[in-house]
Amino acid sequence: MIKDDIGEVRNDVLARRDGLLLCNTKLKEENNTWNKSIITISLLGGFSESVKNMLDLDSPFFKLLPIAISSVTAIISALVKFKAYPERIERITMSVGLCDAVLNKLRNHDHIDDDIMKEYYDALQSAEGSMTPYERKAYLSQSHKLLIEIMEEEQRYMKKIYKVNKNYDNTLDDTTTENSEPPNPYQSVPSQNLRDLEIELPPSRT
């Protein structure tokens, strides 16, 4: 779809940037999960080896257990390397940086020029190359829903702020008149007559 309005371009870049961030978060979670699994299995392998040596366990099970654990660790490591999590995360991070640069320019301009469109197409190409079509469909759908929810929440917030300000203005109009002046807190209070402050003493006794 052709986008020739600066608001449409900004919303499109924002949605794609959010989709990239969602995909990046998912990849980091998966990478951390696999790495934690490798660490846990490696610790179990070292623990089993120490127990076998300390207790002099020579049964076939304890002889094969370290080999099995090492094999599982190697399989998981190969799978993580095949998934290429660090490379994908780095590529998505670069795409997010391009989208942020385009968003920064779009927010500082009120019309679209050739330079902005060139950077927009570059960011678009980078974002599309950072995710598979299935990932792009899934994460763009999530980012669109989140953007709509954010905009609806902003509208509700602005309506509430407008209502509060309007009620506050009406309260001020009811309590003050057009020609009335606010009381001066520094206005001096009339001094009392010194006679009023004299205290009559009882007659002295001799």
Side-chain angles (χ1 to χ4, degrees), residues 81-100:
K81 188 176 181 180
F82 175 76
K83 292 281 189 179
Y85 286 111
E87 292 81 2
R88 293 199 61 195
I89 291 173
E90 183 179 0
R91 193 182 307 122
I92 290 176
T93 302
M94 293 178 59
S95 300
V96 171
L98 292 176
C99 292
D100 287 335

Side-chain angles (χ1 to χ4, degrees), residues 6 13 15 44 47 53 59 68 104 136 147 172 185 187 199 205:
I6 191 169
V13 176
L44 289 176
F47 176 76
N53 294 332
S59 63
N104 188 28
R136 190 162 65 247
L147 284 176
L172 291 179
Q187 185 177 2
I199 302 175
R205 296 180 181 179

